[in-house]
Amino acid sequence: MEAYLDNAATTKPFHEVCDIMLKTMKEDYGNPSSMHLKGVEAENYIKKAKEIIAASLKVEPKEIIFTSGGTESNNTALIGVALANKRSGNHIITTKIEHASVHNPVIFLEDMGFRVTYLDVDENGKVDQEQLLDSICDDTILVSIMYVNNEMGAVQDVEAISKAIKDKKKDILFHVDAIQAYGKYKIRPKKQGIDLLSVSGHKIHGPKGIGFLYIKDKVKIKPIIYGGEQQKGMRSGTENVPGIAGMGKAAELIYKDHEKKVAHLYELKERLVAGLQQIEGVTVNGIGLGIENTAPHVVSASFADIRSEVLLHALEERDVYVSSGSACSSNHPALSGTLQAIGVKKQLLDSTLRFSFSVETTEEEIDYALVMLNELLPMLRRFTRH
């Protein structure tokens, strides 16, 4: 059998997502900026998707802009806010465990003269709120913290963090990278004090190449893409109608029977963690506060005496698909900053795999992966030690 356990990298699109995308490509293919009927038909898909997504967040449709994915959403939020608010200050706060799509634009802003504070996290990946508050200065304009860590599933209490930030300096803008959180949690930006929120389509059984950015009404932000002034000038370029329609459908489906879906993910996680903890030389990372306080779909585990790449490919030969750290950076092998930040032992940094589930993952897949691990690990370790 096959066990696809790399859903934090990407999920398989729902059938309904494929159907609506095919319809927009074969039948309703107009340019949404065109004034004739074909254009109006295409524009209606965008309106519908925007309404579905806005309803899922309890925000206004006008506060949603579509992007090419999570990376563009994060870049737009960080660079757009920094450029629009630089007269108010040049200090940005983020963490040491952010995804590269936040980390690298922050480095870009540093090169432009902005000052950045990188917050520590504890062994469970939690932000030190005292350090956060101590870091806030008169010239702080933006705080960016991810909701769910993509490598080990740490979850931040974004509402408490936002309250602490705004109690100290109310005009600081709070951006949340929710790429691994949307679809797993009921997110309410207005209640949770989130000013900007980034989401990607292909993490929730939607298509690749599409995402959105929630921008709270009245937030000062500059576009980073200029052209035909689509999406009220915030993101020029002809809209990706098939992608938008597919993402809207995915958002609708992922939040249907949501509690049941999340419960299923936690059952899978508990099953895998219990199995891993029975294997000699395996450490499950970041679950010190209990599985229920981590994301339901991500497990990080370190395997003593085996390089992650060797184990990953050995599992692949048995049709078990996992990831070594973040899939987005797997083409640039380096020791994970996230694992270092949570204090994973040096000798295990290059021995860690990420297992991640979707609502379509089955218990049989988990059991099959555990059987394969139990078969492969003694053999690989014997080879390594000789």
Side-chain angles (χ1 to χ4, degrees):
M1 70 173 291
E2 179 178 298
Y4 179 73
L5 302 178
D6 198 16
N7 291 278
T10 198
T11 52
K12 181 180 177 182
F14 288 132
H15 288 300
E16 295 90 335
V17 167
C18 299
D19 289 345
I20 197 170
M21 291 181 70
L22 190 61
K23 188 169 189 302
T24 62
M25 287 189 283
K26 294 183 73 172
E27 299 174 24
D28 304 324
Y29 50 81
N31 186 325
S33 295
S34 297
M35 296 181 70
H36 50 64
L37 181 60
K38 280 289 182 192
V40 173
E41 287 173 349
E43 188 181 18
N44 284 338
Y45 284 99
I46 298 174
K47 285 182 179 176
K48 177 68 175 174
K50 199 171 278 195
E51 287 170 0
I52 292 169
I53 290 166
S56 75
L57 297 171
K58 305 292 184 197
V59 301
E60 297 296 321
K62 68 180 181 181
E63 295 174 306
I64 302 295
I65 67 161
F66 292 107
T67 66
S68 63
T71 294
E72 186 188 321
S73 296
N74 281 337
N75 273 257
T76 301
L78 293 159
I79 297 172
V81 163
L83 295 181
N85 294 275
K86 62 183 179 182
R87 287 186 180 176
S88 301
N90 76 333
H91 181 226
I92 296 166
I93 299 173
T94 187
T95 79
K96 293 180 178 176
I97 62 168
E98 298 300 310
H99 186 272
S101 60
V102 166
H103 183 70
N104 287 337
V106 165
I107 290 175
F108 168 76
L109 290 168
E110 273 189 302
D111 291 341
M112 291 184 68
F114 288 89
R115 190 166 57 84
V116 179
T117 298
Y118 297 90
L119 300 174
D120 296 319
V121 295
D122 64 18
E123 67 275 15
N124 296 304
K126 294 283 191 180
V127 168
D128 182 339
Q129 289 194 35
E130 193 171 326
Q131 185 192 19
L132 167 61
L133 293 178
D134 288 344
S135 302
I136 293 174
C137 311
D138 290 340
D139 63 345
T140 305
I141 55 172
L142 174 66
V143 175
S144 179
I145 293 176
M146 70 195 327
Y147 202 128
V148 169
N149 180 266
N150 55 304
E151 288 188 55
M152 39 77 72
V155 182
Q156 306 298 338
D157 187 344
V158 294
E159 185 170 352
I161 290 172
S162 175
K163 186 176 186 311
I165 294 168
K166 301 204 180 227
D167 281 351
K168 183 156 185 180
K169 190 170 184 285
K170 67 179 181 182
D171 57 349
I172 291 176
L173 294 173
F174 184 37
H175 166 248
V176 172
D177 171 353
I179 291 164
Q180 294 291 347
Y182 185 79
K184 313 300 185 303
Y185 293 90
K186 289 184 178 177
I187 304 173
R188 302 287 181 264
K190 295 188 186 301
K191 178 176 179 290
Q192 294 173 291
I194 300 168
D195 299 301
L196 304 107
L197 184 97
S198 301
V199 173
S200 173
H202 70 110
K203 310 295 188 183
I204 58 163
H205 302 274
K208 299 174 183 64
I210 188 70
F212 72 79
L213 176 64
Y214 160 75
I215 306 172
K216 184 181 174 183
D217 193 29
K218 311 294 185 193
V219 163
K220 283 177 62 179
I221 181 168
K222 283 184 176 290
I224 62 170
I225 294 176
Y226 294 87
E229 300 288 306
Q230 285 91 343
Q231 302 202 64
K232 297 181 179 176
M234 259 313 297
R235 205 276 187 178
S236 292
T238 301
E239 292 93 336
N240 173 5
V241 178
I244 291 169
M247 179 164 193
K249 179 56 71 175
E252 176 186 319
L253 295 174
I254 203 71
Y255 278 108
K256 186 178 179 183
D257 297 325
H258 186 247
E259 290 181 4
K260 190 175 174 183
K261 288 185 171 76
V262 173
H264 173 63
L265 293 174
Y266 273 120
E267 286 170 5
L268 295 173
K269 183 165 185 170
E270 287 174 358
R271 195 176 188 93
L272 178 61
V273 169
L276 289 170
Q277 289 175 331
Q278 297 298 313
I279 304 174
E280 183 185 355
V282 178
T283 305
V284 180
N285 301 310
I287 58 168
L289 299 176
I291 289 175
E292 69 278 12
N293 292 310
T294 65
H297 64 303
V298 179
V299 173
S300 170
S302 300
F303 299 84
D305 302 324
I306 295 179
R307 287 185 60 216
S308 57
E309 187 176 347
V310 172
L311 183 54
L312 182 151
H313 289 303
L315 287 168
E316 177 191 20
E317 290 181 1
R318 308 291 181 97
D319 295 323
V320 178
Y321 301 100
V322 300
S323 171
S324 57
S326 166
C328 302
S329 59
S330 59
N331 290 329
H332 306 281
L335 295 179
S336 162
T338 294
L339 297 180
Q340 292 181 69
I342 65 170
V344 171
K345 292 177 181 176
K346 189 176 179 181
Q347 61 269 30
L348 293 178
L349 289 173
D350 192 27
S351 301
T352 300
L353 293 180
R354 179 184 68 181
F355 304 79
S356 51
F357 330 120
S358 82
V359 295
E360 296 185 338
T361 306
T362 64
E363 290 183 353
E364 287 73 22
E365 286 179 90
I366 300 296
D367 293 344
Y368 179 67
L370 287 167
V371 168
M372 291 301 106
L373 283 167
N374 275 295
E375 281 186 17
L376 289 167
L377 284 168
M379 182 173 62
L380 293 172
R381 283 182 175 138
R382 196 161 53 242
F383 178 77
T384 302
R385 285 167 182 157
H386 286 81

